[in-house]
Amino acid sequence: MLSFGDLCDSLELPTLRYHWQIVLLSLVLCSIIYEASHVISPLLFPKTFQFFKGYTPTNWHVHVVSSVHSVIISVGSILILLDGDLAKDRVFGYSAWAANIYSVSFGYFIWDVIMAIRYIEFQGISMVCHGLAGFVVILLSYRPFINYYGAIFLLYEASTPFLNIHWFLDKLGWTGSKIQLINGILLISVFFFARIVVGFYMSFQLWVEIYAIKELVPTSYIIIYGVANAATSFLNVYWFGLMLKMLQKRFPKKTTEGKRA
């Protein structure tokens, strides 16, 4: 009978055998947080939830899970980038504790893809693509492959708490408030730095290193990660443009008055 370890080897994911428990635990915790939000959130914001209809309450709970994951994984990604031992071999290096961080995110992305497909009519195809890209990038880390540079993709989540806060403020009736303006500025700043500046620079460094040892990297790895990297880079630029337009619509008069003053 084929053991789980043998299955991992046959799929060329040898290190997954040491971390599948974390993946499963993360998936379960995402589901628990999602269900807990169904109970806790309406108690905390009864006036807001009484006006929710259709997909809105579900979307609230999805944002809660997203917020918890993004905070945890943002800290974890920074720790990975600061790992001196892993930095010595940025393409094929392996670190057990770093793989555990990836496993937490892997469990979340499995949950996220399921939810995105289930509610695709509301979330759109871009969220499905985002979830699949995260799924693929982390799956490759169990080969192991780009355990160091994969943290750049996780660092994208640093802007997610601010994005979710902006969404929550809208639903709480604080649209156009000073706190939303401050959060919006932080959102734009963190998003631009983490996803555009650092993301594009580190992606360039990754491909430089891969090219230097291209004979050691399977073509399938290059194609799979290349597509995922290109898709996320395009989405980051697209979403950044949408956020700029969003802020301009929310604060047009205040921005104009501020310039005059």
Side-chain angles (χ1 to χ4, degrees):
M1 183 176 179
L2 187 67
S3 66
F4 182 75
D6 293 332
L7 177 61
C8 291
D9 289 338
S10 65
L11 295 174
E12 297 183 10
L13 304 169
T15 64
L16 180 58
R17 72 176 72 194
Y18 308 117
H19 305 285
W20 66 269
Q21 300 93 333
I22 304 296
V23 176
L24 181 60
L25 178 61
S26 175
L27 177 60
V28 171
L29 287 177
C30 285
S31 300
I32 291 175
I33 294 171
Y34 176 75
E35 294 300 331
S37 181
H38 280 76
V39 178
I40 299 174
S41 294
L43 294 177
L44 294 176
F45 309 103
K47 294 182 179 180
T48 299
F49 268 78
Q50 68 178 333
F51 297 108
F52 280 175
K53 296 180 180 179
Y55 174 67
T56 304
T58 298
N59 202 11
W60 176 287
H61 307 314
V62 169
H63 277 74
V64 170
V65 179
S66 170
S67 298
V68 174
H69 165 261
S70 61
V71 171
I72 294 174
I73 220 62
S74 295
V75 175
S77 62
I78 294 175
L79 294 177
I80 292 175
L81 293 174
L82 294 176
D83 187 336
D85 292 333
L86 194 58
K88 294 177 182 177
D89 186 354
R90 301 186 179 192
V91 179
F92 296 113
Y94 168 75
S95 168
W97 72 268
N100 282 332
I101 293 176
Y102 282 120
S103 297
V104 171
S105 200
F106 192 45
Y108 166 77
F109 278 116
I110 293 175
W111 181 87
D112 186 53
V113 169
I114 293 173
M115 295 298 289
I117 294 175
R118 181 179 179 183
Y119 297 104
I120 189 171
E121 61 180 303
F122 303 104
Q123 294 194 25
I125 190 64
S126 64
M127 293 307 298
V128 176
C129 292
H130 176 267
L132 287 174
F135 178 89
V136 169
V137 169
I138 298 177
L139 189 66
L140 288 177
S141 72
Y142 296 113
R143 297 211 165 183
F145 182 62
I146 58 171
N147 270 211
Y148 179 83
Y149 282 108
I152 300 303
F153 183 87
L154 298 185
L155 191 59
Y156 289 171
E157 295 298 311
S159 63
T160 301
F162 301 102
L163 181 62
N164 289 346
I165 289 173
H166 189 93
W167 188 89
F168 287 134
L169 290 173
D170 270 349
K171 301 309 174 186
L172 292 171
W174 289 2
T175 301
S177 63
K178 182 177 292 186
I179 188 172
Q180 191 180 52
L181 175 60
I182 295 173
N183 179 77
I185 294 173
L186 291 174
L187 167 60
I188 293 294
S189 302
V190 174
F191 190 101
F192 181 74
F193 180 75
R195 298 196 178 215
I196 307 298
V197 177
V198 177
F200 276 66
Y201 173 76
M202 294 301 285
S203 292
F204 173 75
Q205 291 295 317
L206 166 64
W207 291 111
V208 168
E209 290 205 32
I210 288 180
Y211 182 78
I213 56 171
K214 57 182 181 299
E215 65 279 358
L216 301 177
V217 182
T219 303
S220 58
Y221 290 21
I222 296 176
I223 295 175
I224 293 173
Y225 188 79
V227 172
N229 189 211
T232 53
S233 296
F234 170 79
L235 288 173
N236 286 337
V237 174
Y238 173 70
W239 286 334
F240 184 68
L242 291 181
M243 285 190 292
L244 289 177
K245 292 180 180 179
M246 174 185 66
L247 282 181
Q248 289 175 348
K249 289 182 178 179
R250 297 292 169 83
F251 308 97
K253 294 183 179 180
K254 293 182 180 180
T255 302
T256 302
E257 292 173 358
K259 288 181 178 180
R260 289 177 180 175

